[in-house]
Amino acid sequence: MLDKERFAMRAVKWMRWVLLPAVVVIVLAQAAPALASDGGPDPLIRGLNTVWVLITAFLVFWMQAGFAFVEAGLTRAKNTTNILFKNLIDFVFATLAFWVIGYAFMFGSTAGGWIGTTGFFVSPAGAQDVAGLPLMAFWLFQLVFAGTAATIVSGAMAERTKFSAYLLYSFFISAFIYPISGHWIWGGGWLATLPIGAGFKDFAGSTVVHSVGGWLALIGAILLGPRLGRFGSDGKPKAIPGHSISMAVLGVFILWLGWFGFNPGSQLAADGLNADIISLVAVNTNIAAAAGAISAMVVVWLFISKKPDLPAALNGTLAGLVAITAPCAFVTPAASVVIGLVAGVIGAYGALLLEKLKVDDPVGAVPVHLMNGVWGTLALGIFATENGVSGLIAGSAEQLLAQTIGILAVSAWCLLCGMVLFATIKAFHGLRVSREEETQGLDILEHGAQAYPGDVLV
Amino acid sequence: MLDKERFAMRAVKWMRWVLLPAVVVIVLAQAAPALASDGGPDPLIRGLNTVWVLITAFLVFWMQAGFAFVEAGLTRAKNTTNILFKNLIDFVFATLAFWVIGYAFMFGSTAGGWIGTTGFFVSPAGAQDVAGLPLMAFWLFQLVFAGTAATIVSGAMAERTKFSAYLLYSFFISAFIYPISGHWIWGGGWLATLPIGAGFKDFAGSTVVHSVGGWLALIGAILLGPRLGRFGSDGKPKAIPGHSISMAVLGVFILWLGWFGFNPGSQLAADGLNADIISLVAVNTNIAAAAGAISAMVVVWLFISKKPDLPAALNGTLAGLVAITAPCAFVTPAASVVIGLVAGVIGAYGALLLEKLKVDDPVGAVPVHLMNGVWGTLALGIFATENGVSGLIAGSAEQLLAQTIGILAVSAWCLLCGMVLFATIKAFHGLRVSREEETQGLDILEHGAQAYPGDVLV
Amino acid sequence: MLDKERFAMRAVKWMRWVLLPAVVVIVLAQAAPALASDGGPDPLIRGLNTVWVLITAFLVFWMQAGFAFVEAGLTRAKNTTNILFKNLIDFVFATLAFWVIGYAFMFGSTAGGWIGTTGFFVSPAGAQDVAGLPLMAFWLFQLVFAGTAATIVSGAMAERTKFSAYLLYSFFISAFIYPISGHWIWGGGWLATLPIGAGFKDFAGSTVVHSVGGWLALIGAILLGPRLGRFGSDGKPKAIPGHSISMAVLGVFILWLGWFGFNPGSQLAADGLNADIISLVAVNTNIAAAAGAISAMVVVWLFISKKPDLPAALNGTLAGLVAITAPCAFVTPAASVVIGLVAGVIGAYGALLLEKLKVDDPVGAVPVHLMNGVWGTLALGIFATENGVSGLIAGSAEQLLAQTIGILAVSAWCLLCGMVLFATIKAFHGLRVSREEETQGLDILEHGAQAYPGDVLV
């Protein structure tokens, strides 16, 4: 209790750090109006592309609800308030962190290819277009991606993490970890300019977003340890079923819909040849999702639980979506079928592997986001034939090499940061709730409220 | 159990049929790149129209979640996993079936107006525009419609159909039945070119999508027989209330939103006069939905249950939406009010009629999709005044004749196919689960999982 | 019972009033086709802007589901059917009321700046563009705003209002109250042309939509009195927890998404400089929502309940969204942080204040929509620096004066109308259900159905 008050006092101090600069920027804003536009060659093309980028950004924002519902549905009712709260607040923190510093680290002028150094508070650059778009449209699109990376971690650490610890690491992910490795790839950094193949390629973020979230999820889950009762005293795993498959299914449908923003929106334009690319990307995204669902369903049905298992098919869908995220603009629909089929299998067996390693990942965030983030990034190096990138089947091994280097670099970065971040929180603040709290559920002791009070169905 | 394993083995064989051609197409893809664009007169118009078609396609995809939630909400909790699973997998199957053959049958070069014969795997035609759009955008839009037709059937057959049987018929609907009658109307087939009135007209699919789904739903429901306990030993109907009106309401809101993609998107363009048409279509869609809700509510309140009944109002909303789907581009908002009011009444009394005939349709799929699919298609022949089509009130009876011919032709096709399909499955595989399974709920025996495990609300 | 039948008979009479004019308008429609377009200078710009306005209108429509779920989630399961039903039907009524007369009162040719007088049934004007858009697109966008105003009231009056009384006042709000004050501000009326500052400004409706709904909600809640058990015999407030925080969270995510239509869509255009404005508006909207969530969470955590409270954070999010609605096009992102932070605090303490005044507002509609509607409208007068409007921090006090006049005028109008409307309904029809009905829940006695029948989780 006292501990929490101390944390809250710290939060207030933190708010001062937002409020003060805010006032400063308001004053600055009068000198550098946010609306002065440099026009660009065709205001109509710019308008069309802005509409496309804004609407796809809205769809990606909507994925926050999807992640929240997948995670809450696949866990127990006694932790639902806590889980939904985290999924709301991580996006809230991402918004402020990415505004204050995250965007600058990711997309500011590069310092040697390692980190961006301009554009804090998304101001003075306020008057300039980025990628042919109003800066504000570009910023919003990038923000919703940052929010996604942060929220992935939540699922693997569900049902046993302190709320205040979650706030801390969620802020650091959006403010530092994600933007810096993101700078290497999307901010014009060293991986983007790698002189191998077409340079490291990740169209919409299998690595930039999903693997980063997935690595941090894995480290967090390991450092936390499994939930009470997840492994018996004999070491045997015991399934802990989620409280509402309806919520999980809704979440997956929301995510699938949101991915139509995530991937096709990443082209950042819709005119001319861009119309062809976004259409191809949308089709590939949909096909890989379907293929992932079907292969996960069949593999589990035949070889694992011997039944058509809905949570497995749901994670197969997400696996296919994560895997196609990197290569979606560079491959054919036929290749997307193969990428999705493999993704579903990886998702299903990946979950088994984690269980064998006694890592407790309540929602399958690691097989979905990490393993398939890696698979999708490699798949680009194998199947790329479109849009100026050539993979193995087009006869070039270079791209696969570039992809491997990127995967290794980002892994190292995430392992380093994740270890430091979670170990620091664990040492100085505590990462895990008490046994009593975990047994009773986090909702009552952390938040003083149940998600579904007892008299609900009376 | 053994039966299921046999089915699963068959599923694996089936997957080979996807995998093999996939590899072939990847090889082909290098010769016929998916991104070569033939430009068209104005790349900006093409970009705008692509954005419009993609976003409306996303909205129609979202309807899958709506159908899933309406169906699951209006049925019992013990079958929820099964129902949600079916509503996920039917779209998954539709994606693959429509990619491999469905699209070719529907939109390939016509063989005498009866069936399309080119465009399998949506390739070699990959390089050409369709309707002024990138092929991939056009394909995605058509796919989500195919998915809708398949998913309608699920509701009428809920709570008693074998999961494996569902997979089989769901595949055949998306691969054969829907595309072939669709070819007659939207693929340039014999109904489209009927030399009566403006030819058979169905703007967004009251017949092409909804009646087709509705006829198959009716045949399926009849061949399955009613759920245990739906009719007493005295033959009197007993209502089986659904487990969550909240889910059903969410589903209807999702469908209403999705219909703003379904109908306005069907214009496939947004420039010039198209901007007026899509605006009119959106308004008509909304007005008919509202009118359907109100007339269903009032009719049930006054004459049937004597209370304002929410499920009735929900089905009235959907009834209005289905009915306006065919005529939405050809009528005024005032006519849409009338079409919607009538639709709501048809929906309410249609459900009573089915009950009298002892057909058990748990979610009202037949009154909503079949009866109002027919009504909407006729209504076009009555109220059309806009956009080059003239109905009865504009003084021409020809259009109504054309509409009637189309309705009869599609009915005959669906009755034939439905009877053969369901009777074959019934004879060789079995259509209905065992008494025991139905009583216990399909979730446990088919899927080994409950939607809401017992300790949920503790 | 008898009472309800009488009401239903009245409803039938009312339907005649819709049907008859409908038939008349159909006849008229042939003379005045809805599709004749006057073109405008650039059909491509018009197409782009139509796409933007339609899609954002769809997003605003989607907010109906959000309001429904926030309200139902924060109240008890025994009233869920009733609450969801109201949230469906108020939009249905808004559709018809705004079509028949509401639009004409709001956007018709002005009579002295007080009320519009042309455009009933959205016809004869059917052939003319409004704001460079097809009339139908403009109408749909305005309709979904009218629907929002009506639905706000529902939350404050939840769990004790007669369904038939709700239908009555819901119709009057959409048909008269909202359109008339709306005319003063958005229809070119006297507040829009106020010769102080830039005239009264309300970009997307902090006052036009949210304060209007909020005032009516306040009056309704006062006239109804609190729910049974909300205040003990000693006058002490007792919290009545809602039945599903999951539904409430989903509702807030839906509303946040919908607000990306509400605010950015209100620019009604996306070409040229409009692309910059809609991007800024989207960013400001998102930032204020995040700031509102965080300040509400922190304030409640530190000073009120001493825990991170999810419903408080949810209402803080909505508070930020309501507050930024008026100024979103006129302020910088930094100002939006401040506006949102203050909004969250107002929301949290506003709820306490209401409780102290013994006003029972089950979902917090008054602190969110009324208090923050007022705050946002004032904030415009303080922080405006962009897009041609100058507030206090830009050195001009005039705008703040104009804002204050507008707030007072709209308050007076709403107080007058609300008092007359609710007092009349109370006197002649009754506003509140019986004690017995309230205790048992409105679902069974009003609608003869439970939202979650007893055997749900068996």
Side-chain angles (χ1 to χ4, degrees):
Chain A
M1 198 59 175
L2 238 134
D3 188 55
K4 270 172 209 160
E5 275 168 25
R6 225 179 304 132
F7 174 77
M9 293 310 300
R10 257 178 263 148
V12 169
K13 276 187 204 149
W14 181 85
M15 281 185 63
R16 282 191 208 131
W17 283 96
V18 173
L19 266 171
L20 270 182
V23 173
V24 172
V25 176
I26 288 170
V27 177
L28 288 176
Q30 278 141 288
L35 282 177
S37 157
D38 59 1
D42 184 331
L44 196 43
I45 290 181
R46 190 163 166 275
L48 174 64
N49 293 343
T50 301
V51 165
W52 175 246
V53 167
L54 286 179
I55 293 171
T56 52
F58 304 161
L59 287 176
V60 179
F61 162 78
W62 182 226
M63 291 171 73
Q64 294 291 329
F67 282 114
F69 265 57
V70 167
E71 184 179 343
L74 295 180
T75 50
R76 287 164 294 180
K78 65 184 179 181
N79 299 315
T80 300
T81 301
N82 177 264
I83 285 168
L84 296 172
F85 206 163
K86 292 189 307 178
N87 277 275
L88 177 79
I89 289 295
D90 58 24
F91 184 71
V92 163
F93 272 43
T95 293
L96 298 175
F98 207 70
W99 176 61
V100 178
I101 48 175
Y103 178 81
F105 287 162
M106 189 151 173
F107 292 101
S109 312
T110 193
W114 292 99
I115 189 168
T117 56
T118 57
F120 296 93
F121 295 99
V122 200
S123 232
Q128 288 172 330
D129 276 17
V130 182
L133 297 165
L135 168 66
M136 292 293 161
F138 183 77
W139 182 82
L140 189 73
F141 193 79
Q142 297 303 335
L143 159 67
V144 289
F145 276 65
T148 301
T151 213
I152 288 168
V153 184
S154 160
M157 300 175 68
E159 303 202 288
R160 58 208 192 281
T161 306
K162 277 182 167 187
F163 186 70
S164 51
Y166 184 77
L167 296 184
L168 284 171
Y169 72 70
S170 170
F171 177 81
F172 277 93
I173 292 171
S174 313
F176 297 99
I177 305 177
Y178 168 82
I180 290 174
S181 52
H183 179 77
W184 304 348
I185 301 164
W186 289 349
W190 69 276
L191 278 171
T193 54
L194 206 66
I196 305 173
F200 178 75
K201 285 282 173 190
D202 182 3
F203 186 71
S206 289
T207 285
V208 175
V209 179
H210 295 281
S211 293
V212 166
W215 279 116
L216 297 168
L218 176 63
I219 300 163
I222 292 174
L223 286 185
L224 267 176
R227 289 167 293 173
L228 296 175
R230 178 67 174 87
F231 297 97
S233 49
D234 55 353
K236 282 217 174 130
K238 286 180 197 168
I240 301 179
H243 83 287
S244 170
I245 196 73
S246 301
M247 286 176 68
V249 168
L250 181 62
V252 168
F253 274 120
I254 291 174
L255 288 171
W256 192 333
L257 175 65
W259 238 287
F260 284 127
F262 208 88
N263 288 1
S266 291
Q267 182 67 10
L268 300 174
D271 63 302
L273 189 64
N274 295 305
D276 297 83
I277 296 174
I278 60 177
S279 303
L280 176 66
V281 168
V283 166
N284 285 345
T285 300
N286 189 69
I287 282 183
I294 222 169
S295 71
M297 178 180 81
V298 170
V299 156
V300 170
W301 196 345
L302 283 185
F303 306 117
I304 302 180
S305 79
K306 308 285 179 192
K307 303 235 181 204
D309 183 74
L310 182 49
L314 294 176
N315 270 342
T317 308
L318 300 181
L321 288 164
V322 169
I324 201 64
T325 296
C328 54
F330 308 113
V331 299
T332 61
S336 302
V337 172
V338 179
I339 293 170
L341 289 174
V342 174
V345 175
I346 291 176
Y349 283 102
L352 281 189
L353 176 68
L354 270 193
E355 218 174 45
K356 221 164 253 176
L357 298 172
K358 305 237 181 315
V359 176
D360 182 17
D361 173 3
V363 305
V366 173
V368 167
H369 297 282
L370 173 54
M371 297 184 192
N372 276 297
V374 170
W375 158 238
T377 308
L378 290 174
L380 190 159
I382 300 170
F383 295 101
T385 54
E386 310 297 306
N387 216 347
V389 182
S390 299
L392 265 191
I393 71 160
S396 156
E398 275 205 43
Q399 193 59 42
L400 191 56
L401 178 62
Q403 300 303 104
T404 310
I405 294 171
I407 290 167
L408 292 174
V410 171
S411 308
W413 168 248
C414 290
L415 283 170
L416 177 74
C417 290
M419 231 98 87
V420 171
L421 174 62
F422 288 120
T424 310
I425 295 178
K426 197 171 177 177
F428 293 94
H429 181 84
L431 205 51
R432 186 161 179 154
V433 299
S434 70
R435 263 189 104 77
E436 183 211 352
E437 189 162 344
E438 190 175 339
T439 308
Q440 254 198 275
L442 279 68
D443 286 3
I444 291 179
L445 291 180
E446 289 263 2
H447 307 290
Q450 286 172 288
Y452 315 98
D455 63 340
V456 164
L457 300 183
V458 178
Chain B
M1 200 59 177
L2 238 133
D3 187 54
K4 270 174 206 159
E5 275 168 25
R6 222 179 306 130
F7 174 76
M9 293 311 299
R10 256 177 265 147
V12 169
K13 276 187 205 149
W14 181 84
M15 281 185 63
R16 282 192 208 132
W17 283 97
V18 173
L19 267 171
L20 271 181
V23 172
V24 172
V25 175
I26 289 169
V27 176
L28 288 176
Q30 278 141 286
L35 281 176
S37 157
D38 60 359
D42 185 331
L44 197 43
I45 290 181
R46 189 163 166 277
L48 174 64
N49 293 343
T50 301
V51 165
W52 175 245
V53 167
L54 286 179
I55 292 171
T56 51
F58 304 161
L59 287 176
V60 179
F61 162 78
W62 183 226
M63 291 172 72
Q64 294 291 329
F67 282 113
F69 264 57
V70 167
E71 184 180 342
L74 295 179
T75 50
R76 288 164 293 180
K78 64 182 178 181
N79 299 315
T80 300
T81 301
N82 177 263
I83 285 168
L84 296 173
F85 207 164
K86 292 189 306 178
N87 278 274
L88 177 78
I89 291 295
D90 58 23
F91 184 70
V92 163
F93 272 44
T95 292
L96 298 176
F98 207 69
W99 175 62
V100 178
I101 48 175
Y103 177 82
F105 287 161
M106 190 151 173
F107 291 102
S109 311
T110 194
W114 293 98
I115 189 167
T117 56
T118 57
F120 296 93
F121 296 98
V122 201
S123 233
Q128 288 173 330
D129 276 17
V130 181
L133 296 165
L135 168 66
M136 292 294 161
F138 183 76
W139 182 82
L140 190 73
F141 193 78
Q142 296 304 335
L143 160 68
V144 290
F145 276 65
T148 302
T151 214
I152 288 168
V153 183
S154 159
M157 300 175 69
E159 302 203 287
R160 58 206 193 282
T161 306
K162 278 182 168 186
F163 185 70
S164 51
Y166 184 77
L167 296 185
L168 284 171
Y169 72 72
S170 170
F171 177 81
F172 277 93
I173 292 171
S174 313
F176 297 100
I177 305 177
Y178 169 81
I180 290 175
S181 53
H183 179 76
W184 306 347
I185 301 164
W186 289 349
W190 70 275
L191 279 171
T193 54
L194 205 66
I196 305 173
F200 178 75
K201 286 281 173 191
D202 182 3
F203 186 70
S206 289
T207 286
V208 176
V209 180
H210 294 281
S211 294
V212 166
W215 279 115
L216 297 169
L218 177 62
I219 299 164
I222 292 174
L223 287 186
L224 268 176
R227 289 168 292 173
L228 295 174
R230 179 68 176 86
F231 296 98
S233 49
D234 55 352
K236 280 213 178 137
K238 286 179 197 168
I240 300 179
H243 83 286
S244 170
I245 197 72
S246 300
M247 286 176 68
V249 168
L250 181 62
V252 168
F253 273 120
I254 291 174
L255 288 171
W256 193 332
L257 175 64
W259 238 287
F260 284 128
F262 207 88
N263 288 1
S266 291
Q267 182 68 12
L268 299 175
D271 63 302
L273 189 65
N274 295 305
D276 297 83
I277 296 173
I278 60 177
S279 304
L280 176 67
V281 168
V283 166
N284 285 345
T285 300
N286 190 68
I287 283 184
I294 223 169
S295 72
M297 177 180 82
V298 170
V299 157
V300 170
W301 195 345
L302 284 183
F303 305 117
I304 301 182
S305 79
K306 308 285 179 192
K307 303 237 181 204
D309 183 74
L310 182 49
L314 294 176
N315 270 341
T317 308
L318 300 182
L321 288 165
V322 169
I324 201 64
T325 296
C328 55
F330 309 113
V331 300
T332 61
S336 302
V337 172
V338 178
I339 292 170
L341 289 174
V342 174
V345 175
I346 291 177
Y349 282 103
L352 281 189
L353 175 67
L354 270 193
E355 218 175 44
K356 220 164 253 176
L357 298 173
K358 305 237 180 315
V359 177
D360 181 17
D361 173 3
V363 304
V366 173
V368 167
H369 297 281
L370 173 55
M371 298 184 190
N372 276 296
V374 170
W375 159 238
T377 308
L378 290 174
L380 189 159
I382 300 171
F383 295 101
T385 54
E386 310 297 306
N387 216 349
V389 182
S390 299
L392 265 190
I393 70 161
S396 156
E398 274 204 45
Q399 193 60 43
L400 192 55
L401 177 62
Q403 300 303 104
T404 309
I405 293 171
I407 290 168
L408 292 175
V410 172
S411 309
W413 167 249
C414 291
L415 283 170
L416 177 74
C417 290
M419 231 100 84
V420 171
L421 175 62
F422 288 120
T424 309
I425 295 178
K426 198 171 177 176
F428 292 95
H429 181 85
L431 205 52
R432 187 162 178 153
V433 298
S434 69
R435 262 189 106 77
E436 183 211 354
E437 189 161 344
E438 189 175 340
T439 309
Q440 254 198 275
L442 278 67
D443 287 3
I444 291 180
L445 291 180
E446 289 262 2
H447 307 289
Q450 286 172 288
Y452 316 98
D455 63 339
V456 164
L457 300 182
V458 178
Chain C
M1 200 59 178
L2 236 134
D3 188 54
K4 270 175 209 160
E5 276 169 25
R6 224 180 305 131
F7 173 76
M9 293 312 299
R10 257 178 263 146
V12 169
K13 276 189 204 147
W14 180 86
M15 282 186 63
R16 282 190 208 132
W17 282 96
V18 173
L19 265 172
L20 270 182
V23 172
V24 172
V25 175
I26 289 170
V27 176
L28 287 176
Q30 279 142 286
L35 282 177
S37 157
D38 61 0
D42 184 330
L44 196 44
I45 291 182
R46 189 163 166 277
L48 174 65
N49 293 343
T50 301
V51 165
W52 175 246
V53 167
L54 286 179
I55 292 171
T56 52
F58 303 160
L59 287 175
V60 179
F61 162 78
W62 183 226
M63 292 171 71
Q64 294 291 330
F67 282 114
F69 265 57
V70 168
E71 184 179 343
L74 295 179
T75 50
R76 288 165 292 181
K78 65 183 178 181
N79 299 314
T80 300
T81 301
N82 176 263
I83 285 167
L84 296 173
F85 207 164
K86 291 189 306 178
N87 277 275
L88 177 78
I89 290 296
D90 57 23
F91 183 70
V92 163
F93 272 44
T95 293
L96 297 176
F98 207 69
W99 176 61
V100 178
I101 49 177
Y103 177 80
F105 287 162
M106 190 151 173
F107 291 102
S109 311
T110 193
W114 292 98
I115 189 167
T117 56
T118 57
F120 297 93
F121 296 98
V122 200
S123 229
Q128 288 173 330
D129 276 17
V130 181
L133 296 165
L135 168 66
M136 292 294 161
F138 183 77
W139 182 82
L140 189 73
F141 193 79
Q142 297 304 335
L143 160 67
V144 289
F145 275 65
T148 301
T151 213
I152 288 168
V153 183
S154 159
M157 300 175 68
E159 303 202 287
R160 58 208 194 278
T161 306
K162 277 182 169 184
F163 185 71
S164 52
Y166 184 77
L167 296 185
L168 284 171
Y169 73 70
S170 170
F171 177 81
F172 277 93
I173 292 170
S174 313
F176 297 100
I177 305 177
Y178 168 81
I180 289 174
S181 54
H183 179 76
W184 304 349
I185 301 163
W186 289 350
W190 70 275
L191 279 171
T193 54
L194 205 66
I196 305 173
F200 178 74
K201 286 280 174 192
D202 182 2
F203 185 71
S206 289
T207 286
V208 175
V209 179
H210 295 281
S211 293
V212 165
W215 278 115
L216 296 168
L218 177 62
I219 300 163
I222 293 174
L223 286 185
L224 267 177
R227 288 168 293 172
L228 296 174
R230 177 69 175 87
F231 297 97
S233 50
D234 55 353
K236 280 215 177 131
K238 287 180 195 165
I240 300 179
H243 83 286
S244 170
I245 197 72
S246 300
M247 286 176 67
V249 168
L250 180 62
V252 168
F253 274 119
I254 291 174
L255 288 171
W256 193 332
L257 175 63
W259 238 287
F260 284 128
F262 207 88
N263 287 1
S266 290
Q267 183 67 12
L268 300 175
D271 63 302
L273 189 65
N274 295 305
D276 298 83
I277 297 174
I278 60 177
S279 303
L280 176 67
V281 168
V283 166
N284 285 345
T285 300
N286 190 69
I287 282 183
I294 221 168
S295 72
M297 178 180 82
V298 169
V299 157
V300 170
W301 195 345
L302 283 184
F303 306 117
I304 302 183
S305 78
K306 307 285 180 193
K307 304 237 180 203
D309 183 74
L310 182 49
L314 294 176
N315 270 341
T317 308
L318 300 181
L321 287 165
V322 169
I324 202 64
T325 296
C328 54
F330 309 113
V331 299
T332 61
S336 301
V337 172
V338 179
I339 293 170
L341 289 174
V342 173
V345 175
I346 292 177
Y349 283 102
L352 281 188
L353 176 67
L354 270 194
E355 217 175 45
K356 220 163 252 175
L357 299 172
K358 304 237 181 315
V359 176
D360 181 17
D361 173 3
V363 304
V366 173
V368 167
H369 297 282
L370 172 55
M371 297 185 190
N372 276 297
V374 170
W375 158 238
T377 309
L378 289 174
L380 189 159
I382 300 169
F383 296 101
T385 54
E386 310 297 307
N387 214 349
V389 182
S390 299
L392 265 190
I393 70 160
S396 156
E398 275 205 45
Q399 193 59 43
L400 192 55
L401 178 62
Q403 300 303 103
T404 310
I405 294 172
I407 290 167
L408 293 174
V410 171
S411 309
W413 168 249
C414 291
L415 284 170
L416 178 74
C417 291
M419 231 98 86
V420 171
L421 174 63
F422 288 120
T424 309
I425 295 178
K426 197 172 178 176
F428 292 95
H429 181 85
L431 205 51
R432 185 161 180 153
V433 298
S434 69
R435 263 189 106 76
E436 184 212 353
E437 189 162 344
E438 189 175 340
T439 308
Q440 254 200 275
L442 278 68
D443 286 3
I444 291 179
L445 290 180
E446 289 263 2
H447 307 290
Q450 285 172 288
Y452 315 99
D455 63 341
V456 165
L457 301 183
V458 179

